[in-house]
Amino acid sequence: MIRAKAEYLGILPSLEVLPLFARDDLGRHAEGAFPFHLKAFASYGEISRDMLTRKLQGGIIPWEIFVSDVLALPGQRADWKVMMFVHACPTELVLREPIHKSFYPPQATAKAKLPARLTIGVESQNSLTKAQSREWLAHWKDSLSIELSFRMLPMDLMIHALEAEALDAIIAPSPWGFHAEASGLGKRDPRFTPGKFSQKLVMVCHKDVIDQQPSLALSTCELISSGRNRLRTQAEFSAAIQRLLKCGKPSVRHGILEQAATEHSFASLHLDCVPDIPKLVSELLLLEDFAALPAQVAPNEQTARLLLPA
């Protein structure tokens, strides 16, 4: 029997991808099975770049980053298929200790003394986390006076920059906020929520992979659902984390992933879906509403059809 060629799928080590590691046979790529080797990266931008150069045949990245950094570029429109929307856990905001105290003074009766400047680390120039930070700041009466800037850094460098005080805050996918807090680099803001700018994660792959396995999108959705159920037991959860830690850097400690999973009620969530035309059009229109849709991409049925896996 001829076995399907194993391809590479780029991931950022985070809570969302853990169900893919809750399989005993993850490394066995028989025909009709999950065809990807999972490879960890420190940033979504790096995943996008390696997809464009075909070092990767797919990736799990935020929807808006895929549309801006891949789909909008010349010659890419018909090459990539959105296999599924993967459940995305909330992003987490971490503030350096002095910055946290300025927003949340220790004395309950004290008035917040907001900083004059605030530099926030985000994952991409085109990320909705920039809009999340602006919406969060809007809760403070005098926040318009703050000089707000962003630095785009890979996840590991984002953590180092927070430690070096080159950043005042970061917005990161779970459990990286937990990781920064546990490392003594700042405090998570429990009041922060992604709000209307919550990111959508997509698993995308090159059309050549779909051509070889037309039912891959549906079978992968079932695989992730099964994996999420397996993670309900502690032994399976621990085994999945060990597999995740073997797929590359950066990595987080075992206990941090457990803490994040508990915080986000991770095992009870089943929000993954294989898209259809109305779903893709509505998500494109939402990016347009957020002023996050590149001019090169039309939010219509024609674009949606190009992205459909079948």
Side-chain angles (χ1 to χ4, degrees):
M1 179 179 67
I2 299 176
R3 293 186 177 275
K5 177 185 175 183
E7 311 284 10
Y8 284 90
L9 186 86
I11 61 167
L12 180 73
S14 58
L15 192 58
E16 293 99 341
V17 303
L18 201 55
L20 282 170
F21 294 86
R23 303 181 67 227
D24 289 336
D25 62 343
L26 186 64
R28 302 169 195 165
H29 302 290
E31 284 186 314
F34 190 63
F36 295 108
H37 288 308
L38 301 174
K39 185 176 181 181
F41 287 82
S43 74
Y44 293 125
E46 191 177 3
I47 293 172
S48 297
R49 288 190 293 274
D50 277 12
M51 285 168 56
L52 291 170
T53 58
R54 301 298 189 269
K55 293 178 183 177
L56 291 172
Q57 287 71 47
I60 297 179
I61 57 178
W63 167 239
E64 78 275 11
I65 293 177
F66 164 67
V67 172
S68 296
D69 293 5
V70 179
L71 189 66
L73 298 187
Q76 304 300 318
R77 196 69 49 84
D79 282 356
W80 300 98
K81 304 298 180 182
V82 178
M83 291 170 56
M84 60 184 298
F85 281 81
V86 182
H87 167 71
C89 291
T91 47
E92 298 159 351
L93 170 67
V94 178
L95 301 165
R96 284 197 305 109
E97 186 81 27
I99 301 298
H100 187 275
K101 286 181 179 179
S102 69
F103 282 95
Y104 300 104
Q107 296 79 21
T109 56
K111 183 181 178 181
K113 187 178 180 180
L114 303 185
R117 289 182 281 290
L118 197 63
T119 303
I120 300 178
V122 294
E123 59 214 1
S124 168
Q125 176 67 35
N126 299 308
S127 173
L128 286 178
T129 51
K130 294 171 67 176
Q132 291 175 16
S133 64
R134 292 191 178 98
E135 188 177 47
W136 167 76
L137 272 178
H139 291 295
W140 276 269
K141 182 179 178 181
D142 301 323
S143 63
L144 289 178
S145 64
I146 297 176
E147 182 184 328
L148 182 63
S149 62
F150 299 96
R151 288 190 65 186
M152 275 56 70
L153 291 171
M155 194 56 57
D156 49 352
L157 294 185
M158 201 183 291
I159 299 296
H160 290 313
L162 197 63
E163 183 177 19
E165 301 183 3
L167 293 176
D168 299 308
I170 64 171
I171 296 181
S174 185
W176 289 97
F178 280 95
H179 174 73
E181 186 176 61
S183 301
L185 304 180
K187 288 188 175 181
R188 285 185 307 124
D189 185 345
R191 300 182 188 180
F192 170 79
T193 62
K196 68 179 182 180
F197 297 107
S198 293
Q199 289 178 300
K200 310 288 175 61
L201 276 185
V202 286
M203 180 186 293
V204 295
C205 73
H206 195 268
K207 62 181 177 60
D208 291 348
V209 180
I210 289 290
D211 289 344
Q212 294 171 10
Q213 295 194 39
S215 62
L216 181 60
L218 183 59
S219 64
T220 300
C221 194
E222 293 171 350
L223 179 152
I224 291 180
S225 178
S226 173
R228 208 182 297 279
N229 287 328
R230 290 169 68 94
L231 293 175
R232 293 175 185 272
T233 65
Q234 184 59 47
E236 293 287 356
F237 191 89
S238 296
I241 290 174
Q242 292 306 313
R243 296 188 191 105
L244 173 59
L245 295 178
K246 292 178 181 178
C247 76
K249 302 286 186 179
S251 60
V252 294
R253 297 195 302 273
H254 187 289
I256 299 298
L257 276 167
E258 288 184 316
Q259 184 182 0
T262 301
E263 176 90 2
H264 298 304
S265 303
F266 177 70
S268 64
L269 297 170
H270 294 276
L271 303 178
D272 317 303
C273 75
V274 175
D276 54 16
I277 288 176
K279 169 69 173 176
L280 289 168
V281 171
S282 68
E283 294 297 344
L284 288 167
L285 287 171
L286 192 59
L287 290 184
E288 185 177 52
D289 288 343
F290 293 160
L293 186 71
Q296 301 92 324
V297 179
N300 57 27
E301 184 174 321
Q302 182 180 1
T303 302
R305 287 191 182 280
L306 289 173
L307 292 172
L308 277 181

